Amino acid sequence: MARRTARRPAPRPTDGAAPCPCGLGLPYSQCCGPAHHGHAPASAEALMRARYSAYARDDDAYVLASWHPETRPAQITADRGPSWVRLEVLDTTGGGMFDAEGTVEFRAHYRDHGRPGELYERSRFVRHDGHWVYWGPVRTDGGLAHS
């Protein structure tokens, strides 16, 4: 989800009572909204959901801020194609209160010019300065994928 090619406008305004894009069924203001406004997610899965919601809302600033500084790209250029429509969290390992790292396996569904598609990833999350951050995708052979 990191690569984008064309510039998009600032994040879309979202009614805080509207359902959160991450799919938990809570209002945005009680789900991923606090993370987007500076409150650190409590788990790797919560951060992954907040990052998905940031992609769905075109919030590139949050996507970059939640990325580990060693693997973070210098910038993200928005892509006018995909519209993120649904998230499925398939599995998690670690990533809890007492863990230093964790993984989240997910499938993100999108529509691109009317055509459905999906992005599958197993992502690694680590603690950095006491907060969860996204490290990057894990390759199927167990190593880290580099973009």
Side-chain angles (χ1 to χ4, degrees), residues 35-125:
H36 294 169
H37 293 98
H39 297 284
S43 68
E45 180 181 344
L47 176 60
M48 204 249 89
R49 288 180 177 282
R51 286 175 54 84
Y52 171 85
S53 291
Y55 275 103
R57 298 183 69 240
D58 301 324
D59 187 348
D60 295 345
Y62 183 81
V63 171
L64 285 171
S66 62
W67 212 309
H68 193 283
E70 289 183 28
T71 59
R72 176 190 311 141
Q75 66 182 17
I76 297 175
T77 14
D79 181 359
R80 295 177 201 242
S83 173
W84 300 100
V85 296
R86 185 168 57 93
L87 174 67
E88 288 179 87
V89 174
L90 306 171
D91 192 28
T92 62
T93 58
M97 184 183 304
F98 301 109
D99 296 314
E101 66 179 73
T103 61
V104 179
E105 182 180 3
F106 68 92
R107 187 173 291 121
H109 298 267
Y110 62 87
R111 293 197 70 78
D112 189 3
H113 298 89
R115 294 185 180 147
E118 63 182 48
L119 171 95
Y120 167 84
E121 185 175 302
R122 186 168 165 244
S123 300
R124 179 180 176 208
F125 294 86

